[in-house]
């Protein structure tokens, strides 16, 4: 999948360590440079460059009209973006934090998600709503929600979440280019995760809607996305000591959902654990487990298990490590798959 | 790892923020204490008689349209109809002040404004008939979908007007909302955005006295809804909503102001909803007949007719002609609405995303099979396919 790193004029480029935050910022910049209809708007996105600095430098390079500090009103921001999209622009909205996107829910549910449908296809809305989400950064309350289930439950929205630096760049570029609205969930605690990456020749990535096997394995499949991918990768390494060879599937996109890749993996391994941070009850894991059961019942050696955050409001930072699914909880679940060693 | 490591963070020196200039004298923003009137005043002398006649014809047509649509609910041809009878002056003026390139953002009650703007009367009813959500291409007519969630279309109008200005297009957006809708957060956010962005938008409140059953006094403690403009830094205008000439004039000025790049205006038209909230509502539970009777004396069609006849611009023949034209429109609407719409169940899946997800493809296949089985059953009876 990763292409050889060369610049546009064919010179080899050396990939250097880059953070997910940098790749996201670069994706915004490149999209804006390529397409003059791309506009970024949100709270503090201009002069400050966003509280996570994702939009750093955009106002300077493209001007206030294309990277706009808006009044502090999430419904207003997204509502204005709807109107801008109706007039042919491609707005990219930054919601400052997951829990502060809630005031904009009505615009998202009633208009962003439905405009294409309401108008019989006449008026699609190419809006990208970027939402930093999830915990693990020691944020006080209202700064660490995992809101993906709400978005997933709303037909008309794409729901995308990267877990790698390559995907951060590639999926955001695609989201902005998409003619449908995309809720682009940015795992906060991976903002500063690094990988070798070259902005001049970013790797080609799988398009929105495809899951990717991050690590092949035979014993069971861990199905995950966003902030929990590194946890699952670490768990898979640790599991080798127990003789378990775990496959890890990174969903990358919750809507559309890649039933095919997930089902193919589970049919190979016969066992599955879904891992995510958001509360388990009513969470994505239940939906995913049901889909797997419907498709792979006869291949399953054990019930599909879920490892999720507790069904509690997001806990205070000093307790969040107990809430977030870690490697041990993943391995415990794997053990509960009624192992028959190497049978 | 800190944000300082990100490129550009150190290099960027922001330009000094623009100074916030307090408005020391809000008086120019304040609405007059009494709603502005033209009919029956000296101001009417300045109004083009052609415009008055046009307004009259449209008002008569509009009233007939409302009556016809309400009748269609009784015949089961419309799921619901929120009549704007009594408010026709607002509806018609809203449509007539706009240029073709401008945009109208109506609420669910504003079918008439959309029709007066030139939308096919049947297409304008698809939402209320229940066969499709929006029966027209909003871009083609520059009419946003009739909006059901209150006030949520107002920020859209702001965004669209703002986008048009950024593109260098000379476009104004006129957004309509009811008195109840002014209590919604989206109303306030939209006004604030518009004022800060100096967006070419006109907010048009039809204060018809009630939000379903709740009277204005329980909705707001403001001196008038137009007063709300001042807090956002835009002018508020109060107009007699039953005086078509006055509404036309005030909206025209607001549109012209927006077009000159001077920013948004909030216009409150004081009017009255003569019918129930919708055909499904019982208005006797919350209002008294004497109030309705009092407003009948101030009926928008009668006001205009009186003005025109007193000035010798309209006689009984003219009034008859306007009525006949309205009857023809109603008859055509009735005929066309009496045909069952053609529904395509598979359309359920076609306009959710640009490309169907595999989940939707599966569901579409399942529905297709159900429909085929139904058809089989209808054509060949219950034993078919067994
Ligand atoms: C957000 C929202 N809340 C509630 C409703 C239900 N509702 C429909 S119309 C209405 C009253 C609106 O009154 P007003 O804004 O004065 O407009 P009018 O119907 O008088 O034209 C209500 C409460 C709605 N459509 N949207």
């Amino acid at each position: 999948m990763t292409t050889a790193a060369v610049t546009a004029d064919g010179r080899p480029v050396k990939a250097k360590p880059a953070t997910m935050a940098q790749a996201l910022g670069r994706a915004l910049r490149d999209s804006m440079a390529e397409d003059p209809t791309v506009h970024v708007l949100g709270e503090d996105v201009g002069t400050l460059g966003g509280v996570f600095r994702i939009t750093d430098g955009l106002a300077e390079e493209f001007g206030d009209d294309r990277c706009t500090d808006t009044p502090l009103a999430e419904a207003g921001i997204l509502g204005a973006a709807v109107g801008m999209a109706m007039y042919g622009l491609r707005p990219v909205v930054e919601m400052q934090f997951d829990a502060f996107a809630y005031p904009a829910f009505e615009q998202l549910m009633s208009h962003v998600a439905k405009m294409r449908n309401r108008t019989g296809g006449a008026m699609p809305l190419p809006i990208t709503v970027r939402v930093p989400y999830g915990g693990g950064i020691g944020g006080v309350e209202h700064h660490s929600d995992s809101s993906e289930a709400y978005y997933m439950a709303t037909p008309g929205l794409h729901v995308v979440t990267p877990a790698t630096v390559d995907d951060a760049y590639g999926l955001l570029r695609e989201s902005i280019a998409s003619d449908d609205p995309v809720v682009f969930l940015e795992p906060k605690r991976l903002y500063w995760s690094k990988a070798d990456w070259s902005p001049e020749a970013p790797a080609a990535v799988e398009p929105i809607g495809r899951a990717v096997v991050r690590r092949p394995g035979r014993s069971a499949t861990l199905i995950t996305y966003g902030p929990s991918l590194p946890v699952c990768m670490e768990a898979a390494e640790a599991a080798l000591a127990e003789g378990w060879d775990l496959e890890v599937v990174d969903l990358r996109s919750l809507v559309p959902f890649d039933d095919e890749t997930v089902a193919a993996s589970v049919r190979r391994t016969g066992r599955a654990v879904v891992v995510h941070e958001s509360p388990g009850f009513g969470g994505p894991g239940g939906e995913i487990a049901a889909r797997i059961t419907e498709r792979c019942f006869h291949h399953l050696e054990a019930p599909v298990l879920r490892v999720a955050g507790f069904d509690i409001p997001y806990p205070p930072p000093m307790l969040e490590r107990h809430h977030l699914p870690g490697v041990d909880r993943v391995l415990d679940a794997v053990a509960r798959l009624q192992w028959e060693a190497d049978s | 790892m800190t944000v300082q490591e990100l490129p550009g963070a150190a290099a960027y020196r922001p330009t000094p923020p623009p100074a916030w200039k307090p408005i020391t004298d809000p008086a120019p923003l304040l609405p007059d204490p009494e709603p502005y009137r033209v009919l029956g005043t000296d101001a009417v002398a300045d109004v083009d008689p052609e415009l008055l006649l046009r307004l009259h014809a449209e008002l008569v047509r509009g009233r007939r349209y409302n009556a016809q649509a309400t009748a269609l609910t009784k015949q089961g041809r419309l799921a619901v109809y929120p009549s704007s009878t009594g408010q026709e002056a607002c509806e018609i003026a809203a449509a007539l002040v706009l240029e073709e390139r401008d945009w109208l953002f109506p609420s669910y009650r504003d079918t008439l404004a959309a029709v007066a703007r030139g939308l096919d009367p049947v297409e304008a009813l698809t939402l209320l008939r229940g066969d499709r959500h929006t029966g027209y291409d909003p871009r083609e007519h520059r009419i946003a979908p009739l909006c059901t969630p209150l006030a949520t279309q107002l920020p859209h109008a702001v965004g669209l007007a703002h986008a048009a200005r950024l593109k260098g297009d000379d476009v104004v957006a006129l957004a309509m909302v009811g008195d109840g809708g002014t209590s919604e957060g989206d109303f306030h956010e939209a006004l604030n955005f518009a004022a800060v962005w100096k967006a070419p938008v006109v907010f048009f409140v039809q204060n018809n006295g009630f939000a379903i059953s709740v009277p204005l006094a329980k909705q707001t403690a403001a001196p008038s809804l137009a007063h709300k403009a001042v807090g956002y830094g835009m002018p508020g205008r109060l107009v007699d909503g039953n005086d078509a000439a006055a509404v036309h004039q005030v909206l025209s000025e607001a549109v012209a102001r927006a077009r000159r790049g001077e920013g948004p205006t909030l216009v409150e038209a004081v009017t009255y909803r003569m019918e129930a909230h919708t055909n499904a509502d019982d208005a006797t539970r919350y209002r008294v007949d004497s109030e309705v009777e009092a407003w009948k004396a101030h009926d928008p069609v009668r006001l205009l007719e009186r003005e025109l006849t007193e000035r010798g611009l309209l006689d009984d023949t003219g009034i008859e002609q306007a009525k006949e034209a309205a009857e023809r429109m109603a008859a055509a609407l009735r005929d066309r609405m009496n045909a069952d719409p053609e529904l395509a169940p598979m359309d359920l899946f076609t306009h959710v995303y640009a490309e169907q997800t595999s989940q939707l493809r599966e569901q579409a296949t399942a529905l297709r099979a159900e429909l085929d089985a139904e058809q089989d059953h209808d054509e060949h009876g219950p034993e078919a396919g067994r």
Side-chain angles (χ1 to χ4, degrees), chain A residues 76 86-87 107 111 118 157 180 257 259 291 295, chain B residues 14 134 139 152 156 169 186 189 351 353-354 359 362:
Chain A
M86 287 171 86
Y87 204 76
Q107 284 294 337
H111 292 294
R118 290 166 74 206
L157 302 175
D180 283 320
F257 186 82
D259 281 304
R291 304 191 79 80
R295 279 165 184 74
Chain B
T134 308
R139 257 192 267 266
T152 53
H156 305 171
D169 295 347
D186 278 19
E189 298 193 14
H351 302 301
Y353 298 101
Q359 290 77 38
E362 277 174 24

PDB file of all heavy atoms in Angstrom, chain A residues 76 86-87 107 111 118 157 180 257 259 291 295, chain B residues 14 134 139 152 156 169 186 189 351 353-354 359 362:
ATOM      1  N   GLY A  76     -24.316  27.605  15.086  1.00  0.00           N
ATOM      2  CA  GLY A  76     -24.121  28.664  14.101  1.00  0.00           C
ATOM      3  C   GLY A  76     -23.015  28.319  13.117  1.00  0.00           C
ATOM      4  O   GLY A  76     -23.142  28.555  11.914  1.00  0.00           O
ATOM      5  N   MET A  86     -24.312  24.944   0.411  1.00  0.00           N
ATOM      6  CA  MET A  86     -25.420  25.114  -0.542  1.00  0.00           C
ATOM      7  C   MET A  86     -24.995  26.029  -1.684  1.00  0.00           C
ATOM      8  O   MET A  86     -25.531  25.966  -2.785  1.00  0.00           O
ATOM      9  CB  MET A  86     -26.642  25.724   0.168  1.00  0.00           C
ATOM     10  CG  MET A  86     -27.367  24.774   1.095  1.00  0.00           C
ATOM     11  SD  MET A  86     -28.635  25.615   2.099  1.00  0.00           S
ATOM     12  CE  MET A  86     -30.034  25.589   0.993  1.00  0.00           C
ATOM     13  N   TYR A  87     -24.054  26.901  -1.395  1.00  0.00           N
ATOM     14  CA  TYR A  87     -23.613  27.837  -2.433  1.00  0.00           C
ATOM     15  C   TYR A  87     -22.343  27.347  -3.137  1.00  0.00           C
ATOM     16  O   TYR A  87     -21.709  28.097  -3.871  1.00  0.00           O
ATOM     17  CB  TYR A  87     -23.396  29.235  -1.841  1.00  0.00           C
ATOM     18  CG  TYR A  87     -23.526  30.322  -2.882  1.00  0.00           C
ATOM     19  CD1 TYR A  87     -24.777  30.718  -3.338  1.00  0.00           C
ATOM     20  CD2 TYR A  87     -22.400  30.922  -3.446  1.00  0.00           C
ATOM     21  CE1 TYR A  87     -24.916  31.680  -4.315  1.00  0.00           C
ATOM     22  CE2 TYR A  87     -22.528  31.895  -4.427  1.00  0.00           C
ATOM     23  CZ  TYR A  87     -23.793  32.269  -4.862  1.00  0.00           C
ATOM     24  OH  TYR A  87     -23.927  33.217  -5.836  1.00  0.00           O
ATOM     25  N   GLN A 107     -28.248  20.797  13.837  1.00  0.00           N
ATOM     26  CA  GLN A 107     -27.842  21.081  12.460  1.00  0.00           C
ATOM     27  C   GLN A 107     -27.324  19.810  11.796  1.00  0.00           C
ATOM     28  O   GLN A 107     -27.610  19.538  10.628  1.00  0.00           O
ATOM     29  CB  GLN A 107     -26.770  22.178  12.430  1.00  0.00           C
ATOM     30  CG  GLN A 107     -27.327  23.574  12.673  1.00  0.00           C
ATOM     31  CD  GLN A 107     -28.263  24.046  11.565  1.00  0.00           C
ATOM     32  OE1 GLN A 107     -28.207  23.578  10.433  1.00  0.00           O
ATOM     33  NE2 GLN A 107     -29.151  24.970  11.895  1.00  0.00           N
ATOM     34  N   HIS A 111     -30.117  18.627   9.271  1.00  0.00           N
ATOM     35  CA  HIS A 111     -29.805  19.237   7.980  1.00  0.00           C
ATOM     36  C   HIS A 111     -28.593  18.612   7.284  1.00  0.00           C
ATOM     37  O   HIS A 111     -28.693  18.193   6.143  1.00  0.00           O
ATOM     38  CB  HIS A 111     -29.600  20.741   8.150  1.00  0.00           C
ATOM     39  CG  HIS A 111     -30.867  21.442   8.522  1.00  0.00           C
ATOM     40  ND1 HIS A 111     -31.941  21.530   7.666  1.00  0.00           N
ATOM     41  CD2 HIS A 111     -31.256  22.047   9.666  1.00  0.00           C
ATOM     42  CE1 HIS A 111     -32.927  22.178   8.261  1.00  0.00           C
ATOM     43  NE2 HIS A 111     -32.549  22.491   9.474  1.00  0.00           N
ATOM     44  N   ARG A 118     -33.392  14.890   1.460  1.00  0.00           N
ATOM     45  CA  ARG A 118     -34.586  15.749   1.406  1.00  0.00           C
ATOM     46  C   ARG A 118     -34.789  16.331   0.022  1.00  0.00           C
ATOM     47  O   ARG A 118     -35.913  16.560  -0.408  1.00  0.00           O
ATOM     48  CB  ARG A 118     -34.441  16.918   2.396  1.00  0.00           C
ATOM     49  CG  ARG A 118     -34.513  16.538   3.836  1.00  0.00           C
ATOM     50  CD  ARG A 118     -34.023  17.692   4.704  1.00  0.00           C
ATOM     51  NE  ARG A 118     -34.993  18.782   4.782  1.00  0.00           N
ATOM     52  CZ  ARG A 118     -34.674  20.042   5.024  1.00  0.00           C
ATOM     53  NH1 ARG A 118     -33.415  20.390   5.176  1.00  0.00           N
ATOM     54  NH2 ARG A 118     -35.599  20.969   5.106  1.00  0.00           N
ATOM     55  N   LEU A 157     -24.660  10.431   7.229  1.00  0.00           N
ATOM     56  CA  LEU A 157     -23.308  10.862   7.583  1.00  0.00           C
ATOM     57  C   LEU A 157     -22.321   9.742   7.323  1.00  0.00           C
ATOM     58  O   LEU A 157     -22.626   8.571   7.559  1.00  0.00           O
ATOM     59  CB  LEU A 157     -23.221  11.211   9.075  1.00  0.00           C
ATOM     60  CG  LEU A 157     -24.158  12.285   9.610  1.00  0.00           C
ATOM     61  CD1 LEU A 157     -24.005  12.398  11.128  1.00  0.00           C
ATOM     62  CD2 LEU A 157     -23.879  13.620   8.934  1.00  0.00           C
ATOM     63  N   ASP A 180     -20.283  13.917   0.136  1.00  0.00           N
ATOM     64  CA  ASP A 180     -21.186  13.680   1.264  1.00  0.00           C
ATOM     65  C   ASP A 180     -20.569  14.249   2.534  1.00  0.00           C
ATOM     66  O   ASP A 180     -19.354  14.380   2.644  1.00  0.00           O
ATOM     67  CB  ASP A 180     -21.409  12.174   1.455  1.00  0.00           C
ATOM     68  CG  ASP A 180     -22.388  11.620   0.432  1.00  0.00           C
ATOM     69  OD1 ASP A 180     -23.378  12.315   0.148  1.00  0.00           O
ATOM     70  OD2 ASP A 180     -22.147  10.518  -0.074  1.00  0.00           O
ATOM     71  N   PHE A 257     -19.614   0.805   6.728  1.00  0.00           N
ATOM     72  CA  PHE A 257     -18.949  -0.242   7.496  1.00  0.00           C
ATOM     73  C   PHE A 257     -18.505  -1.343   6.545  1.00  0.00           C
ATOM     74  O   PHE A 257     -19.284  -1.809   5.708  1.00  0.00           O
ATOM     75  CB  PHE A 257     -19.922  -0.806   8.539  1.00  0.00           C
ATOM     76  CG  PHE A 257     -19.270  -1.789   9.465  1.00  0.00           C
ATOM     77  CD1 PHE A 257     -18.535  -1.335  10.561  1.00  0.00           C
ATOM     78  CD2 PHE A 257     -19.370  -3.146   9.227  1.00  0.00           C
ATOM     79  CE1 PHE A 257     -17.920  -2.247  11.405  1.00  0.00           C
ATOM     80  CE2 PHE A 257     -18.753  -4.050  10.072  1.00  0.00           C
ATOM     81  CZ  PHE A 257     -18.022  -3.607  11.163  1.00  0.00           C
ATOM     82  N   ASP A 259     -18.210  -4.603   6.063  1.00  0.00           N
ATOM     83  CA  ASP A 259     -18.596  -5.954   6.501  1.00  0.00           C
ATOM     84  C   ASP A 259     -17.673  -7.020   5.920  1.00  0.00           C
ATOM     85  O   ASP A 259     -17.358  -8.013   6.580  1.00  0.00           O
ATOM     86  CB  ASP A 259     -20.030  -6.248   6.039  1.00  0.00           C
ATOM     87  CG  ASP A 259     -21.075  -5.589   6.933  1.00  0.00           C
ATOM     88  OD1 ASP A 259     -21.051  -5.832   8.143  1.00  0.00           O
ATOM     89  OD2 ASP A 259     -21.899  -4.828   6.402  1.00  0.00           O
ATOM     90  N   ARG A 291     -23.350  -7.735  13.570  1.00  0.00           N
ATOM     91  CA  ARG A 291     -23.081  -7.922  12.133  1.00  0.00           C
ATOM     92  C   ARG A 291     -22.225  -9.162  11.911  1.00  0.00           C
ATOM     93  O   ARG A 291     -22.434  -9.925  10.972  1.00  0.00           O
ATOM     94  CB  ARG A 291     -22.387  -6.685  11.543  1.00  0.00           C
ATOM     95  CG  ARG A 291     -23.146  -5.389  11.753  1.00  0.00           C
ATOM     96  CD  ARG A 291     -22.570  -4.258  10.945  1.00  0.00           C
ATOM     97  NE  ARG A 291     -23.004  -4.358   9.563  1.00  0.00           N
ATOM     98  CZ  ARG A 291     -24.200  -3.957   9.134  1.00  0.00           C
ATOM     99  NH1 ARG A 291     -25.077  -3.435   9.978  1.00  0.00           N
ATOM    100  NH2 ARG A 291     -24.534  -4.111   7.880  1.00  0.00           N
ATOM    101  N   ARG A 295     -23.217 -12.774   9.949  1.00  0.00           N
ATOM    102  CA  ARG A 295     -22.473 -13.217   8.759  1.00  0.00           C
ATOM    103  C   ARG A 295     -21.609 -14.439   8.998  1.00  0.00           C
ATOM    104  O   ARG A 295     -21.297 -15.165   8.070  1.00  0.00           O
ATOM    105  CB  ARG A 295     -21.586 -12.078   8.257  1.00  0.00           C
ATOM    106  CG  ARG A 295     -22.363 -11.109   7.438  1.00  0.00           C
ATOM    107  CD  ARG A 295     -21.650  -9.807   7.218  1.00  0.00           C
ATOM    108  NE  ARG A 295     -22.542  -8.917   6.493  1.00  0.00           N
ATOM    109  CZ  ARG A 295     -23.588  -8.304   7.030  1.00  0.00           C
ATOM    110  NH1 ARG A 295     -23.864  -8.464   8.299  1.00  0.00           N
ATOM    111  NH2 ARG A 295     -24.370  -7.540   6.301  1.00  0.00           N
TER     112      ARG A 295
ATOM    113  N   PRO B  14       0.598  37.064  14.261  1.00  0.00           N
ATOM    114  CA  PRO B  14      -0.719  37.512  13.796  1.00  0.00           C
ATOM    115  C   PRO B  14      -0.777  39.021  13.611  1.00  0.00           C
ATOM    116  O   PRO B  14      -0.064  39.760  14.291  1.00  0.00           O
ATOM    117  CB  PRO B  14      -1.654  37.089  14.930  1.00  0.00           C
ATOM    118  CG  PRO B  14      -0.770  36.977  16.128  1.00  0.00           C
ATOM    119  CD  PRO B  14       0.571  36.566  15.631  1.00  0.00           C
ATOM    120  N   THR B 134     -38.598  17.397  -0.375  1.00  0.00           N
ATOM    121  CA  THR B 134     -38.526  18.650  -1.119  1.00  0.00           C
ATOM    122  C   THR B 134     -38.825  18.324  -2.576  1.00  0.00           C
ATOM    123  O   THR B 134     -38.117  17.538  -3.181  1.00  0.00           O
ATOM    124  CB  THR B 134     -37.118  19.273  -1.014  1.00  0.00           C
ATOM    125  OG1 THR B 134     -36.766  19.358   0.359  1.00  0.00           O
ATOM    126  CG2 THR B 134     -37.090  20.658  -1.636  1.00  0.00           C
ATOM    127  N   ARG B 139     -31.527  24.758  -5.868  1.00  0.00           N
ATOM    128  CA  ARG B 139     -30.596  25.624  -6.597  1.00  0.00           C
ATOM    129  C   ARG B 139     -31.253  26.255  -7.817  1.00  0.00           C
ATOM    130  O   ARG B 139     -30.971  27.391  -8.171  1.00  0.00           O
ATOM    131  CB  ARG B 139     -29.374  24.826  -7.034  1.00  0.00           C
ATOM    132  CG  ARG B 139     -28.162  25.099  -6.158  1.00  0.00           C
ATOM    133  CD  ARG B 139     -26.929  24.515  -6.803  1.00  0.00           C
ATOM    134  NE  ARG B 139     -26.717  23.181  -6.300  1.00  0.00           N
ATOM    135  CZ  ARG B 139     -25.928  22.896  -5.276  1.00  0.00           C
ATOM    136  NH1 ARG B 139     -25.284  23.852  -4.650  1.00  0.00           N
ATOM    137  NH2 ARG B 139     -25.768  21.665  -4.864  1.00  0.00           N
ATOM    138  N   THR B 152     -33.863  26.809  12.132  1.00  0.00           N
ATOM    139  CA  THR B 152     -32.590  26.188  11.756  1.00  0.00           C
ATOM    140  C   THR B 152     -32.136  26.591  10.365  1.00  0.00           C
ATOM    141  O   THR B 152     -30.983  26.417  10.016  1.00  0.00           O
ATOM    142  CB  THR B 152     -32.680  24.651  11.818  1.00  0.00           C
ATOM    143  OG1 THR B 152     -33.806  24.225  11.038  1.00  0.00           O
ATOM    144  CG2 THR B 152     -32.842  24.161  13.239  1.00  0.00           C
ATOM    145  N   HIS B 156     -28.302  28.856   7.780  1.00  0.00           N
ATOM    146  CA  HIS B 156     -28.004  28.478   6.390  1.00  0.00           C
ATOM    147  C   HIS B 156     -28.025  29.724   5.500  1.00  0.00           C
ATOM    148  O   HIS B 156     -27.169  29.893   4.629  1.00  0.00           O
ATOM    149  CB  HIS B 156     -29.029  27.489   5.829  1.00  0.00           C
ATOM    150  CG  HIS B 156     -29.197  26.254   6.663  1.00  0.00           C
ATOM    151  ND1 HIS B 156     -30.192  25.339   6.438  1.00  0.00           N
ATOM    152  CD2 HIS B 156     -28.508  25.787   7.734  1.00  0.00           C
ATOM    153  CE1 HIS B 156     -30.101  24.368   7.317  1.00  0.00           C
ATOM    154  NE2 HIS B 156     -29.099  24.606   8.125  1.00  0.00           N
ATOM    155  N   ASP B 169     -20.332  37.459  -5.639  1.00  0.00           N
ATOM    156  CA  ASP B 169     -21.660  37.493  -6.264  1.00  0.00           C
ATOM    157  C   ASP B 169     -22.577  38.440  -5.498  1.00  0.00           C
ATOM    158  O   ASP B 169     -22.574  38.468  -4.276  1.00  0.00           O
ATOM    159  CB  ASP B 169     -22.291  36.089  -6.279  1.00  0.00           C
ATOM    160  CG  ASP B 169     -21.496  35.142  -7.154  1.00  0.00           C
ATOM    161  OD1 ASP B 169     -20.634  35.626  -7.918  1.00  0.00           O
ATOM    162  OD2 ASP B 169     -21.711  33.914  -7.043  1.00  0.00           O
ATOM    163  N   ASP B 186     -30.845  28.916  17.370  1.00  0.00           N
ATOM    164  CA  ASP B 186     -30.356  29.127  16.009  1.00  0.00           C
ATOM    165  C   ASP B 186     -30.681  30.519  15.490  1.00  0.00           C
ATOM    166  O   ASP B 186     -29.924  31.091  14.703  1.00  0.00           O
ATOM    167  CB  ASP B 186     -30.928  28.069  15.055  1.00  0.00           C
ATOM    168  CG  ASP B 186     -30.138  26.776  15.120  1.00  0.00           C
ATOM    169  OD1 ASP B 186     -29.419  26.581  16.116  1.00  0.00           O
ATOM    170  OD2 ASP B 186     -30.226  25.969  14.179  1.00  0.00           O
ATOM    171  N   GLU B 189     -27.977  32.727  17.074  1.00  0.00           N
ATOM    172  CA  GLU B 189     -26.653  32.467  16.506  1.00  0.00           C
ATOM    173  C   GLU B 189     -26.582  33.008  15.082  1.00  0.00           C
ATOM    174  O   GLU B 189     -25.578  33.574  14.662  1.00  0.00           O
ATOM    175  CB  GLU B 189     -26.336  30.973  16.557  1.00  0.00           C
ATOM    176  CG  GLU B 189     -26.293  30.477  18.001  1.00  0.00           C
ATOM    177  CD  GLU B 189     -25.684  29.094  18.169  1.00  0.00           C
ATOM    178  OE1 GLU B 189     -25.044  28.596  17.231  1.00  0.00           O
ATOM    179  OE2 GLU B 189     -25.848  28.533  19.266  1.00  0.00           O
ATOM    180  N   HIS B 351     -30.918   8.353  -2.457  1.00  0.00           N
ATOM    181  CA  HIS B 351     -30.349   9.666  -2.135  1.00  0.00           C
ATOM    182  C   HIS B 351     -29.931   9.796  -0.676  1.00  0.00           C
ATOM    183  O   HIS B 351     -30.143  10.821  -0.044  1.00  0.00           O
ATOM    184  CB  HIS B 351     -31.344  10.769  -2.497  1.00  0.00           C
ATOM    185  CG  HIS B 351     -31.731  10.753  -3.941  1.00  0.00           C
ATOM    186  ND1 HIS B 351     -30.800  10.879  -4.943  1.00  0.00           N
ATOM    187  CD2 HIS B 351     -32.926  10.602  -4.555  1.00  0.00           C
ATOM    188  CE1 HIS B 351     -31.414  10.816  -6.117  1.00  0.00           C
ATOM    189  NE2 HIS B 351     -32.702  10.643  -5.900  1.00  0.00           N
ATOM    190  N   TYR B 353     -26.626   8.578   0.232  1.00  0.00           N
ATOM    191  CA  TYR B 353     -25.225   8.920  -0.006  1.00  0.00           C
ATOM    192  C   TYR B 353     -25.010   9.000  -1.518  1.00  0.00           C
ATOM    193  O   TYR B 353     -25.806   8.465  -2.287  1.00  0.00           O
ATOM    194  CB  TYR B 353     -24.297   7.840   0.557  1.00  0.00           C
ATOM    195  CG  TYR B 353     -24.393   7.657   2.048  1.00  0.00           C
ATOM    196  CD1 TYR B 353     -25.134   6.600   2.589  1.00  0.00           C
ATOM    197  CD2 TYR B 353     -23.753   8.522   2.928  1.00  0.00           C
ATOM    198  CE1 TYR B 353     -25.229   6.422   3.963  1.00  0.00           C
ATOM    199  CE2 TYR B 353     -23.841   8.345   4.302  1.00  0.00           C
ATOM    200  CZ  TYR B 353     -24.579   7.295   4.804  1.00  0.00           C
ATOM    201  OH  TYR B 353     -24.674   7.122   6.166  1.00  0.00           O
ATOM    202  N   ALA B 354     -23.921   9.617  -1.906  1.00  0.00           N
ATOM    203  CA  ALA B 354     -23.569   9.672  -3.326  1.00  0.00           C
ATOM    204  C   ALA B 354     -23.485   8.252  -3.878  1.00  0.00           C
ATOM    205  O   ALA B 354     -23.959   7.961  -4.969  1.00  0.00           O
ATOM    206  CB  ALA B 354     -22.248  10.404  -3.510  1.00  0.00           C
ATOM    207  N   GLN B 359     -24.370  -1.782   3.100  1.00  0.00           N
ATOM    208  CA  GLN B 359     -25.537  -2.009   3.963  1.00  0.00           C
ATOM    209  C   GLN B 359     -26.814  -1.597   3.219  1.00  0.00           C
ATOM    210  O   GLN B 359     -27.805  -2.324   3.218  1.00  0.00           O
ATOM    211  CB  GLN B 359     -25.400  -1.190   5.250  1.00  0.00           C
ATOM    212  CG  GLN B 359     -24.311  -1.670   6.204  1.00  0.00           C
ATOM    213  CD  GLN B 359     -22.895  -1.271   5.781  1.00  0.00           C
ATOM    214  OE1 GLN B 359     -22.672  -0.181   5.270  1.00  0.00           O
ATOM    215  NE2 GLN B 359     -21.948  -2.160   5.976  1.00  0.00           N
ATOM    216  N   GLU B 362     -27.749  -4.005   0.417  1.00  0.00           N
ATOM    217  CA  GLU B 362     -28.430  -5.206   0.923  1.00  0.00           C
ATOM    218  C   GLU B 362     -29.900  -4.920   1.216  1.00  0.00           C
ATOM    219  O   GLU B 362     -30.791  -5.708   0.877  1.00  0.00           O
ATOM    220  CB  GLU B 362     -27.765  -5.686   2.226  1.00  0.00           C
ATOM    221  CG  GLU B 362     -26.539  -6.527   2.015  1.00  0.00           C
ATOM    222  CD  GLU B 362     -25.845  -6.838   3.343  1.00  0.00           C
ATOM    223  OE1 GLU B 362     -26.509  -6.804   4.402  1.00  0.00           O
ATOM    224  OE2 GLU B 362     -24.627  -7.102   3.299  1.00  0.00           O
TER     225      GLU B 362
END
